[in-house]
Amino acid sequence: METYIKLSTLNDFIFCPKSIYYHNLYDNYEKKLYQNEAQISGTIAHENIDNKTYSSSKNVLLSLDVYCEKYWIAWKIDQFFIGDWKLVERKNKIEKIYTWYKYQLWGQMFCLEEMWYEVSHLQFYSMQDNKIYKIYKPNSKELLEFENMIEKYKKFDLLQKHWQQNTQKCLKCIYRELCDYFIWEVYPQLSLFE
Ligand code: SF4
């Protein structure tokens, strides 16, 4: 039976397919043991959404589990404002709107639309600097790219022989200490115990 794809897994896949394995492995541990400083701040800042204490209004859906049968994706939305039909994803600090960020909001929108909610506005909220980033709905080309990414994910074989890591991404990767694909020789300045 096909299982749902978590939007965070799709994010991992876009960053590096191998990171999915390590993300699942680390899921069993306390997040503070492996997250970097920015990620820990994000987790703390997100707590009042995760525990649904951010708002008591009936017109604001908080931390709602959503699914989309069409794409077999699943996730938890941060905030959806009924009446304004506004979907908001909160992040600790946004430096740039990556394609993955858009996929995350679009994926949530597809889930809500399947639940018969109208979604008129999509936006990110950057908590540290209090900035709002409005996101448009995907055009037909972007929708196709989104669908292709999901297909690519479904067909990807983690054990395939002909796969090349992106060493620049490895450098930023929080799983590099564990990963067999991290080439320490490429970065002589790094230490395992930095
Ligand atoms: S260290 Fe490199 S290959 Fe390994 S998971 Fe991270 S980005 Fe991927």
Side-chain angles (χ1 to χ4, degrees):
M1 197 183 92
E2 201 168 0
T3 53
Y4 282 99
I5 306 165
K6 283 200 293 184
L7 281 171
S8 60
T9 306
L10 202 58
N11 176 28
D12 289 341
F13 180 73
I14 293 167
F15 177 70
C16 169
K18 301 286 178 191
S19 70
I20 296 169
Y21 170 75
Y22 295 107
H23 191 157
N24 288 335
L25 198 68
Y26 272 121
D27 260 356
N28 298 320
Y29 296 93
E30 171 63 40
K31 281 183 179 173
K32 285 174 191 155
L33 292 178
Y34 63 90
Q35 284 188 328
N36 61 30
E37 213 173 299
Q39 287 171 316
I40 291 170
S41 309
T43 302
I44 294 167
H46 215 268
E47 274 172 359
N48 59 358
I49 292 290
D50 293 336
N51 59 26
K52 303 191 186 199
T53 53
Y54 180 79
S55 166
S56 57
S57 168
K58 286 183 188 148
N59 292 330
V60 187
L61 302 181
L62 293 175
S63 195
L64 179 73
D65 288 315
V66 290
Y67 308 89
C68 172
E69 292 287 338
K70 183 176 177 186
Y71 297 119
W72 282 87
I73 51 179
W75 195 234
K76 207 181 260 295
I77 60 165
D78 277 352
Q79 293 173 297
F80 183 59
F81 294 83
I82 296 170
D84 291 339
W85 312 115
K86 185 171 68 180
L87 175 61
V88 179
E89 171 75 17
R90 296 161 67 89
K91 293 199 178 291
N92 189 39
K93 174 85 187 287
I94 294 179
E95 306 285 351
K96 176 184 168 186
I97 299 293
Y98 296 98
T99 303
W100 145 245
Y101 281 14
K102 292 182 194 169
Y103 285 2
Q104 193 179 14
L105 266 186
W106 292 343
Q108 294 174 31
M109 177 186 78
F110 296 137
C111 295
L112 284 168
E113 286 177 343
E114 265 196 11
M115 293 164 73
W116 298 99
Y117 283 113
E118 178 187 338
V119 181
S120 304
H121 309 284
L122 304 165
Q123 68 184 47
F124 284 103
Y125 176 59
S126 176
M127 293 183 268
Q128 261 190 31
D129 49 9
N130 194 28
K131 279 190 182 166
I132 290 171
Y133 296 84
K134 292 187 179 174
I135 304 296
Y136 50 83
K137 293 188 182 188
N139 59 31
S140 47
K141 180 172 170 282
E142 289 165 327
L143 183 58
L144 197 63
E145 286 166 356
F146 176 82
E147 291 174 345
N148 286 342
M149 183 57 71
I150 289 178
E151 285 311 306
K152 224 169 127 185
Y153 168 83
K154 286 179 184 167
K155 288 180 187 149
F156 185 78
D157 175 7
L158 200 63
L159 301 175
Q160 67 180 267
K161 286 184 185 152
H162 307 292
W163 181 81
Q164 184 79 48
Q165 69 277 65
N166 177 329
T167 53
Q168 287 312 306
K169 286 187 176 178
C170 289
L171 188 57
K172 296 182 205 153
C173 181
I174 60 170
Y175 308 119
R176 69 184 186 215
E177 275 85 1
L178 279 187
C179 181
D180 294 343
Y181 287 81
F182 186 74
I183 311 168
W184 287 94
E185 292 75 20
V186 177
Y187 311 102
Q189 77 278 19
L190 292 181
S191 147
L192 190 58
F193 304 105
E194 63 185 329

